Amino acid sequence: MSTSTLSVEQQRNLAKNLTTFLSQYKHISDSYIIEFFTEDLWDTLPIRWQQVLCDLSAPQIADLLLDPTQRVRRYTSVWPLSLLAFRATAHALAFPRVARQDQGREPGRVKPEEFLENQSQSSLLGHIFRKHVKPKKQHEIRKLGTLVKQLCDQTDCRSVVDVGSGQGHLTRFLSFGLGLSVTAIEADHKLVAMASKFDGHLLWTLEKEKQRKKDTSQLSVSGPCPRHVAGWVNPKASWEVFIKQLGTAECVGEGQPTPPASRKKRLRESEQHRRPLVHATESESLGSTDSDAPSTINHLQESELAPEHGSSLPSCPKRLCKNEAGPESSPSNCCPCAQPVYQEGQQGYPDFVLTGLHACGDLSATLLRHFINCPHVRGITSVACCYMKITTTENPAPPGLVTPPIPPTLANDMSHSEFGYPMSSWVRGLPEHQLSYKAREGACHAIEDYMRRLREESGLLRTHCYRATLETIIRGARPELRRAGIQTIKKAHLLPFTEYARLGLPRVGLPAALPLDLDRVEAMLKQQGRVVVYFSLALLLAPVVETLVLLDRMIYLQENGMESQLVPLFDPNFSPRNLVLVALKPDMDGEGR
């Protein structure tokens, strides 16, 4: 099933089928595996299901139940039609998680081909973009950055807004690697400071590359220096407030970025021989780029993105932009790279492409609404995550939801009627469209990673059984403590259960030496296989729940006149939240670009 080939009617029928299917198996998707014993979850399954599933080995669970690509299945017994239909329907309704060109990849290989030579460094990404970046993030920024660049080319945009930019890894690749003018906004001020620091490290490395290479004729031009804004994107605020937030900022001094600590001494020794970095001009910081900026990853890799002969190298901003919803900053209190891109009454505001790599909870929904309503947003790439933090009518304040105080200036721009799910009128009107917190939390689990554990018969599989057993002990001592958080116990699967309990009980206020009924504990631990089976049944529904959430967003875009496509951009074995929602606005004459 390809999302690009689904008609409006097919999208709506799929949504109807999804809600019907999920409502039928809500008792599985809404269950908590730690309550396996306390709620007798195994007995909630049909008797025939229990009989054929109870003796499956871990690899058989992966092959017979979870893996949609398995073509030859060897059963040890005859499965009931209801179980076969459950599995087949779950696989059929979920959006494909593997790109068509990757479906024939070597079985068992965890990392993409770009990491075959070096497990920690992508062979397709220039070395300056790999520093401080984990392999998973290298894979993601390379793939998503290339896609964003394609959207910019199709929409004639040179500007990008990166929301939830973190330490700026994607921002740097878009700016210095692909020659785009990028404004990055991030709520965590510490991460913004790190992003600016890493910008400085990259620029320092580029300057050293330029000095080291004698033949500079083949070196490419880096893009304009990115602009970092520290601020929380209010999901209830209008697009006008969002635009002002991007451009109306109070700058706070951070000083000139310095090279990595290990190179500071060498830098001081050679300072008198080094040409100082040249500040970017105001026009460069506002989005103009060199016409020869690289446009392909291969070009980037060959040139390593050092500056072209005779070109000036932009320096990193001396200041960060801290959004305070207060007075606008001005050229007198900001460096050129941190100039506001928005001014009250400004004519010819530049169009831009909006992107968010794993924008958490309602943030992804907020970006889609800004895409629809803001005339300056020409395209969007949305990679969602943390579905359990999405607000709903039934649960407007889910656990973990960040709700900073709203400045008085934003009070008039609030709209309390919009939630993260459902977004579309169609899904909102379907009976039993509701998704519980637990169902949405389950949609964040990595099914490919769990299949790998099953096939390897990993010791990690006993963790759920340990926690479910501990839950019975906690409830026995204090019945009011339901699903109390004990946090992660390091290397729990390597510990005997008695040691696991000794470490876990104090975390819920119980004595570490609480007497245990060892015979009862042993009886529960022997049921680890059943715990694994039940968790796998719930995990089988995870992609179905994710499909409904993302399909709802596609239908929302369609209801507002925008066509979209869901692309399995990342390798799901490497990056579980790998589906990217892509949309472009049509030209003013009504035709798509």
Side-chain angles (χ1 to χ4, degrees):
M1 175 176 57
S2 172
T3 64
S4 61
T5 60
L6 292 178
S7 66
V8 173
E9 190 65 25
Q10 288 173 326
Q11 288 183 3
R12 293 182 174 184
N13 286 335
L14 177 58
K16 188 183 300 182
N17 292 336
L18 285 164
T19 56
T20 301
F21 177 70
L22 288 172
S23 66
Q24 183 177 352
Y25 295 100
K26 189 182 292 288
H27 63 285
I28 296 178
S29 62
D30 290 0
S31 62
Y32 290 80
I33 196 63
I34 66 173
E35 295 181 324
F36 182 83
F37 299 115
T38 58
E39 302 297 324
D40 295 323
L41 294 182
W42 184 255
D43 289 336
T44 65
L45 299 177
I47 295 296
R48 284 292 294 138
W49 288 29
Q50 296 179 35
Q51 292 172 345
V52 300
L53 295 175
C54 65
D55 294 325
L56 291 181
S57 67
Q60 285 176 325
I61 296 171
D63 293 341
L64 300 181
L65 194 63
L66 293 182
D67 191 352
T69 65
Q70 198 74 18
R71 294 291 176 256
V72 179
R73 296 186 173 98
R74 293 180 173 84
Y75 300 90
T76 57
S77 60
V78 178
W79 281 25
L81 289 177
S82 60
L83 179 56
L84 293 172
F86 170 75
R87 182 195 64 195
T89 305
H91 288 163
L93 291 179
F95 283 144
R97 293 175 50 77
V98 180
R100 187 171 302 172
Q101 64 270 21
D102 296 331
Q103 290 179 354
R105 63 175 288 176
E106 177 185 345
R109 180 161 54 83
V110 177
K111 291 189 176 182
E113 291 184 2
E114 61 193 285
F115 294 96
L116 291 181
E117 297 180 6
N118 189 318
Q119 290 290 301
S120 62
Q121 296 186 3
S122 168
S123 61
L124 301 178
L125 195 64
H127 74 89
I128 58 175
F129 300 114
R130 298 195 299 253
K131 191 169 185 179
H132 310 295
V133 185
K134 294 181 179 179
K136 174 177 175 291
K137 185 67 72 174
Q138 293 177 31
H139 174 70
E140 291 167 348
I141 65 174
R142 181 185 67 82
K143 300 278 282 188
L144 185 60
T146 304
L147 179 60
V148 171
K149 179 63 165 61
Q150 292 174 354
L151 262 64
C152 288
D153 291 342
Q154 292 181 56
T155 56
D156 296 325
C157 290
R158 302 303 303 170
S159 298
V160 176
V161 173
D162 180 12
V163 181
S165 54
Q167 298 182 51
H169 301 312
L170 175 62
T171 298
R172 274 184 295 282
F173 182 57
L174 291 169
S175 177
F176 297 110
L178 300 178
L180 300 170
S181 176
V182 186
T183 296
I185 183 167
E186 165 60 44
D188 190 327
H189 292 212
K190 293 182 180 179
L191 294 181
V192 175
M194 289 298 296
S196 182
K197 178 181 177 181
F198 291 158
D199 287 353
H201 290 180
L202 183 147
L203 285 163
W204 188 86
T205 301
L206 285 178
E207 176 69 3
K208 298 301 291 183
E209 288 280 340
K210 181 178 180 180
Q211 294 180 14
R212 181 175 60 86
K213 295 183 178 180
K214 296 180 181 180
D215 180 11
T216 60
S217 60
Q218 299 299 316
L219 302 182
S220 61
V221 180
S222 63
C225 193
R227 178 177 178 273
H228 296 282
V229 176
W232 179 68
V233 177
N234 174 19
K236 302 297 184 181
S238 66
W239 69 263
E240 291 91 347
V241 172
F242 175 63
I243 293 295
K244 290 181 181 179
Q245 186 177 27
L246 295 176
T248 306
E250 176 185 347
C251 292
V252 292
E254 289 290 333
Q256 179 67 30
T258 58
S262 61
R263 301 178 183 175
K264 287 181 180 178
K265 182 177 179 180
R266 295 199 304 270
L267 177 64
R268 286 195 298 268
E269 292 174 351
S270 62
E271 187 66 28
Q272 59 181 347
H273 303 293
R274 186 170 70 88
R275 180 178 61 83
L277 299 180
V278 180
H279 282 285
T281 65
E282 183 170 351
S283 62
E284 287 173 334
S285 67
L286 291 176
S288 63
T289 57
D290 194 290
S291 59
D292 295 326
S295 59
T296 65
I297 293 297
N298 290 335
H299 187 180
L300 299 179
Q301 183 186 359
E302 293 171 1
S303 66
E304 296 294 1
L305 299 155
E308 188 174 347
H309 178 66
S311 66
S312 63
L313 185 67
S315 74
C316 195
K318 288 186 178 181
R319 303 175 187 269
L320 302 178
C321 293
K322 177 181 178 183
N323 184 277
E324 299 287 355
E328 290 189 21
S329 55
S330 64
S332 62
N333 63 10
C334 263
C335 70
C337 289
Q339 288 300 304
V341 295
Y342 174 88
Q343 296 177 5
E344 202 70 45
Q346 177 179 347
Q347 299 296 319
Y349 182 78
D351 290 348
F352 60 88
V353 169
L354 195 56
T355 189
L357 176 54
H358 294 141
C360 184
D362 275 2
L363 184 55
S364 292
T366 299
L367 299 186
L368 291 174
R369 289 191 173 101
H370 289 336
F371 167 70
I372 290 296
N373 297 315
C374 178
H376 304 298
V377 183
R378 299 297 304 160
I380 186 171
T381 63
S382 172
V383 189
C385 74
C386 302
Y387 300 121
M388 65 284 194
K389 295 182 181 180
I390 293 174
T391 59
T392 65
T393 304
E394 304 77 29
N395 193 357
L401 181 69
V402 179
T403 54
I406 307 301
T409 54
L410 300 185
N412 295 331
D413 295 285
M414 299 284 285
S415 174
H416 295 280
S417 62
E418 295 181 335
F419 295 100
Y421 173 86
M423 294 185 68
S424 69
S425 299
W426 175 258
V427 172
R428 193 180 304 117
L430 293 175
E432 299 181 313
H433 69 266
Q434 295 82 3
L435 293 174
S436 68
Y437 172 88
K438 182 59 184 70
R440 288 180 280 114
E441 186 273 335
C444 297
H445 288 214
I447 190 170
E448 289 82 9
D449 180 65
Y450 198 73
M451 282 196 295
R452 186 164 58 251
R453 293 183 187 183
L454 290 168
R455 288 179 171 132
E456 295 173 354
E457 298 185 273
S458 168
L460 292 167
L461 295 174
R462 68 172 58 97
T463 305
H464 286 140
C465 190
Y466 269 21
R467 182 61 184 88
T469 302
L470 185 63
E471 184 73 6
T472 65
I473 296 171
I474 294 172
R475 297 270 191 97
R478 292 183 60 183
E480 74 278 7
L481 284 180
R482 296 193 58 188
R483 303 195 294 266
I486 64 170
Q487 304 305 317
T488 301
I489 295 178
K490 189 176 182 181
K491 297 184 179 180
H493 64 289
L494 300 178
L495 303 175
F497 179 79
T498 52
E499 178 65 12
Y500 174 84
R502 186 188 69 81
L503 295 174
L505 289 171
R507 301 187 182 190
V508 296
L510 293 173
L514 186 73
L516 305 178
D517 184 341
L518 295 182
D519 289 339
R520 185 175 178 228
V521 167
E522 184 64 23
M524 287 186 286
L525 294 180
K526 286 182 179 179
Q527 298 186 57
Q528 176 184 317
R530 295 185 177 186
V531 176
V532 171
V533 166
Y534 193 92
F535 181 78
S536 299
L537 290 172
L539 191 60
L540 185 58
L541 295 173
V544 183
V545 175
E546 182 176 38
T547 294
L548 178 56
V549 172
L550 298 179
L551 177 63
D552 167 60
R553 296 177 179 184
M554 295 180 67
I555 296 175
Y556 165 78
L557 293 176
Q558 183 275 323
E559 289 175 346
N560 286 275
M562 303 295 171
E563 299 299 324
S564 62
Q565 185 175 352
L566 205 59
V567 180
L569 188 64
F570 311 137
D571 188 321
N573 293 279
F574 207 39
S575 180
R577 302 280 67 76
N578 71 323
L579 296 172
V580 183
L581 185 56
V582 185
L584 293 175
K585 285 182 180 175
D587 289 333
M588 297 304 293
D589 59 7
E591 298 181 1
R593 291 181 184 272

